[in-house]
């Protein structure tokens, strides 16, 4: 089955902070047909320190909608490779 | 050894739990929620899976499932974490020291404590007792779901409704009931559910769970959580807010497997089969002269599967010692619950407590009855 968002895996990095939210976010994105992988973020949030997030091919605005739907806290979304 | 001390911890653990704990130590021995490497992520996934299973079993949100070292820690986090100086607290007259001692501590900080008398065999009268104890200053009610001494089940759904109606935080000690009786934290209006998974969920000892449906203002333990490290303050996100330090990964994987085990048998079925053994024990002991029983014959939905008794002619700890020499594991004394013994009239010397588990059978109960009869002679 073709995944949504095409083959570009490294499109966005949705930073959640906690690993719990990151796993929930990854699972939510996958349920909606997107590719999503758990990733550790070291010092990727200015002034915040370590944390976790999800690399996904889902667009930023859709990530926000999906995370909001499942009550998953989202700190920020960055283009993967720019931060994290 | 015939193990009949399952209210302390289920003595025999299912093979699936033992294998899962072993597998966790072999294949995911890393710190969950800390590193970004494969092993750490595998451990994080296992912890999250356990959270989901706990949340499903007790009708809660998975990020509100907190893993603790034991049920006592869960109760301390809840009791000390929600109450402010000057606010009142009400507890039942059957509470374990895991509740009474933290309550004494908050009392010393200016929180008045009232004890609501449990009326044995009358849930409505017990509810009225709570109603009388609650006043306009009451901020927290703490109640055991079932006594670890008498086995009496308390009407927590009704007490939860009362607390919701009055805007009071409701903390439930489910040490004797989680995995034994169905519990919905949402339907029962439970703000904090404290669980001993090494009992009714057949997990390893050294495990506990707090389901925190409401806010903890003052975390008992603060420290590293693997996130937000620049901040010197404890994070506000759950479960990390209440899970500082490395969690007990093998134990948590054991909880996960224990839930699978209980679900495979069916919570209701385990309860009924264990209670049937206690009923058989009750019948047998009641025929031995000199045996004192403290409750009516345990009935479904009124008692959890445990029974306290004494011999008229011998202290409880001596009876337990003799039984131990004959190959039976039971618990004597006060069971860390002096309030309950005071209520039962057994504060001087306590009782011998027998508690069944899923692996006990009729033959073991019959052998136990014969052993008590022999001691009596």
């Amino acid at each position: 089955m073709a995944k949504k968002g095409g083959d570009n895996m490294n499109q966005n990095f949705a930073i959640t902070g906690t690993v719990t939210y990151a796993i929930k976010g990854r699972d939510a994105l996958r349920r909606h047909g997107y590719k999503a992988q758990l990733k550790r973020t070291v010092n990727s949030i200015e002034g915040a320190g370590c944390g976790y997030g999800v690399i996904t091919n889902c667009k930023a605005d859709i990530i926000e909608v999906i995370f909001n739907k499942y009550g998953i806290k989202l700190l920020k979304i960055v283009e993967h490779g720019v931060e994290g | 050894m015939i193990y009949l001390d399952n209210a302390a911890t289920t003595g025999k653990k299912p093979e699936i739990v033992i294998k899962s704990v072993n597998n966790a130590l072999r294949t995911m021995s890393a710190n969950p929620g800390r590193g970004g490497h494969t092993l750490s992520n595998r451990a994080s996934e296992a912890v999250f899976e356990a959270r989901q299973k706990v949340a499903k079993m007790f009708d809660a949100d998975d990020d509100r499932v907190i893993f603790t070292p034991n049920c006592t820690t869960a109760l301390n986090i809840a009791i000390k974490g929600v109450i402010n100086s000057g606010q009142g607290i009400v507890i039942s007259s059957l509470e374990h020291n895991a509740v009474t001692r933290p309550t004494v501590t908050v009392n010393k900080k200016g929180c008045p404590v009232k004890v609501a008398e449990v009326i044995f065999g009358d849930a409505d009268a017990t509810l009225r007792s709570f109603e009388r104890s609650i006043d306009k200053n009451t901020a927290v009610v703490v109640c055991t779901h079932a006594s670890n001494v008498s086995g009496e089940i308390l009407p927590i759904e009704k007490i939860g409704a009362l607390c919701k109606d009055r805007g009071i935080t409701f903390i439930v000690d489910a040490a004797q009931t989680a995995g034994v009786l169905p519990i919905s934290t949402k339907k029962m209006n439970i703000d904090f559910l404290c669980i001993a998974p090494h009992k009714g969920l057949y997990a390893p000892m050294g495990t506990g769970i707090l389901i925190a449906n409401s806010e903890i203002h003052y975390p008992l333990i603060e420290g590293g959580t693997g996130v937000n490290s620049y901040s010197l303050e404890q994070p506000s996100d759950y479960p990390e807010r209440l899970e500082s330090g490395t969690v007990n990964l093998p134990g948590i994987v054991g909880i996960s497997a224990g839930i699978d085990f209980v679900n495979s048998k069916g919570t209701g079925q385990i309860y009924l089969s264990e209670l049937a053994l206690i009923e058989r024990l009750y019948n047998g002991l009641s025929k031995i002269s000199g045996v004192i029983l403290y409750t009516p014959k345990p009935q479904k939905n009124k008692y959890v599967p445990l029974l306290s008794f004494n011999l008229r002619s011998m202290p409880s700890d001596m009876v337990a010692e003799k039984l131990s020499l004959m190959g039976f594991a039971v618990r004597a004394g006060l069971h860390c619950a002096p309030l309950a013994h005071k209520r039962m009239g057994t504060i001087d010397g306590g009782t011998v407590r027998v508690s069944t588990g899923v692996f006990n059978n009729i033959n073991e109960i019959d052998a136990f009855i014969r052993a008590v009869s022999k001691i009596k002679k």
Side-chain angles (χ1 to χ4, degrees):
Chain A
M1 184 180 130
K3 293 271 184 187
K4 287 182 184 173
D7 293 329
N8 180 12
M9 182 62 206
N10 301 333
Q11 191 175 357
N12 280 312
F13 188 25
I15 300 170
T16 59
T18 73
V19 70
T20 309
Y21 282 138
I23 294 173
K24 289 177 77 165
R26 180 202 61 189
D27 292 348
L29 288 165
R30 285 180 178 173
R31 273 198 297 277
H32 282 78
Y34 294 98
K35 293 180 182 177
Q37 280 182 1
L38 186 69
K39 189 183 182 303
R40 175 87 172 152
T41 70
V42 180
N43 297 332
S44 61
I45 312 165
E46 192 177 348
C50 325
Y52 288 84
V54 187
I55 302 175
T56 177
N57 59 348
C58 182
K59 289 181 180 174
D61 55 344
I62 299 174
I63 294 172
E64 286 180 13
V65 170
I66 292 173
F67 277 37
N68 189 45
K69 179 181 174 184
Y70 291 98
I72 299 162
K73 189 172 176 181
L74 181 63
L75 295 181
K76 66 195 290 192
I77 300 171
V78 296
E79 274 188 48
H80 183 57
V82 176
E83 292 186 59
Chain B
M1 176 67 77
I2 294 175
Y3 189 86
L4 293 167
D5 193 16
N6 293 281
T9 191
T10 41
K12 185 177 177 185
K13 305 300 180 188
E15 200 55 34
I16 184 178
V17 171
I18 295 167
K19 282 182 179 170
S20 296
V21 171
N22 188 307
N23 184 56
L25 288 167
R26 288 181 189 281
T27 66
M28 55 184 88
S29 191
N31 205 325
R34 300 296 189 272
H37 52 79
T38 307
L39 273 183
S40 177
N41 285 347
R42 194 181 293 165
S44 297
E45 299 276 3
V47 171
F48 184 69
E49 187 183 347
R51 274 192 227 287
Q52 287 183 306
K53 288 179 186 175
V54 172
K56 189 175 180 188
M57 179 170 252
F58 299 104
D59 192 16
D61 296 330
D62 46 29
D63 51 1
R64 290 294 178 147
V65 173
I66 317 297
F67 292 112
T68 63
N70 44 54
C71 188
T72 296
T73 304
L75 283 159
N76 271 266
I77 292 170
I79 294 168
K80 294 172 180 171
V82 296
I83 199 154
N84 292 303
S85 180
Q87 292 180 321
I89 186 164
V90 172
I91 65 173
S92 88
S93 59
L94 297 183
E95 296 306 314
H96 189 278
N97 275 344
V99 168
T100 54
R101 287 179 174 172
T103 305
V104 167
T105 297
V106 297
N107 178 248
K108 286 176 182 170
K109 293 178 179 174
C111 299
V113 179
K114 288 186 183 176
V115 178
E117 287 293 327
V118 173
I119 312 302
F120 289 126
D122 192 338
D124 289 336
T126 295
L127 180 66
R128 287 196 294 276
S129 183
F130 272 89
E131 283 174 333
R132 281 194 301 275
S133 299
I134 290 170
D135 59 31
K136 62 182 180 183
N137 189 42
T138 304
V140 178
V141 166
V142 192
C143 184
T144 186
H145 191 181
S147 167
N148 68 317
V149 179
S150 70
E152 173 120 357
I153 297 170
L154 275 69
I156 60 162
E157 189 161 1
K158 291 177 179 176
I159 298 169
L162 172 67
C163 288
K164 187 186 178 192
D165 185 52
R166 306 277 178 95
I168 294 167
T169 299
F170 187 35
I171 301 171
V172 173
D173 176 0
Q176 296 300 331
T177 56
V180 178
L181 302 173
I183 299 174
S184 163
T185 62
K186 289 177 182 166
K187 282 182 193 164
M188 295 173 164
N189 296 301
I190 298 170
D191 292 288
F192 298 97
L193 183 71
C194 305
I195 296 169
H198 62 98
K199 296 181 181 178
L201 296 177
Y202 293 85
M205 292 74 92
T207 55
I209 300 169
L210 169 66
I211 294 179
N213 289 333
S214 295
E215 293 302 307
I216 291 287
H217 307 306
Y218 316 107
L220 188 69
I221 304 291
E222 295 170 293
T225 58
V227 293
N228 205 22
S229 305
Y230 281 132
S231 172
L232 300 184
E233 289 189 17
Q234 191 69 1
S236 59
D237 293 330
Y238 292 82
E240 282 77 5
R241 179 168 175 75
L242 303 178
E243 273 186 5
S244 291
T246 302
V247 294
N248 178 1
L249 176 76
I252 291 168
V253 170
I255 293 171
S256 193
I259 289 175
D260 289 343
F261 171 78
V262 169
N263 284 338
S264 73
K265 299 276 183 190
T267 297
Q269 282 307 309
I270 293 175
Y271 172 58
L272 290 178
S273 63
E274 290 180 4
L275 195 66
L277 295 178
I278 290 295
E279 286 172 1
R280 188 179 184 90
L281 175 66
Y282 189 96
N283 290 338
L285 291 181
S286 63
K287 289 173 188 161
I288 303 171
S289 70
V291 168
I292 308 167
L293 296 164
Y294 296 94
T295 61
K297 189 167 156 182
Q299 294 174 327
K300 183 185 168 188
N301 298 330
K302 291 193 171 180
Y303 290 88
V304 290
L306 65 85
L307 186 67
S308 272
F309 76 95
N310 265 318
L311 294 186
R312 237 176 266 284
S313 55
M314 206 178 289
S316 67
D317 48 4
M318 193 180 291
V319 175
E321 194 176 328
K322 285 181 180 290
L323 285 165
S324 178
L325 292 171
M326 295 165 82
F328 297 92
V330 293
R331 174 99 177 262
L334 295 181
H335 313 98
C336 299
L339 275 191
H341 278 285
K342 195 175 172 189
R343 182 74 188 86
M344 280 172 55
T346 50
I347 190 68
D348 295 325
T351 57
V352 181
R353 184 186 67 188
V354 185
S355 49
T356 48
V358 72
F359 296 110
N360 289 122
N361 58 49
I362 287 173
N363 292 338
E364 291 175 337
I365 295 300
D366 289 348
F368 183 84
I369 295 165
R370 286 195 298 273
V372 172
S373 185
K374 200 170 174 182
I375 291 171
K376 175 67 184 55
K377 287 172 186 170

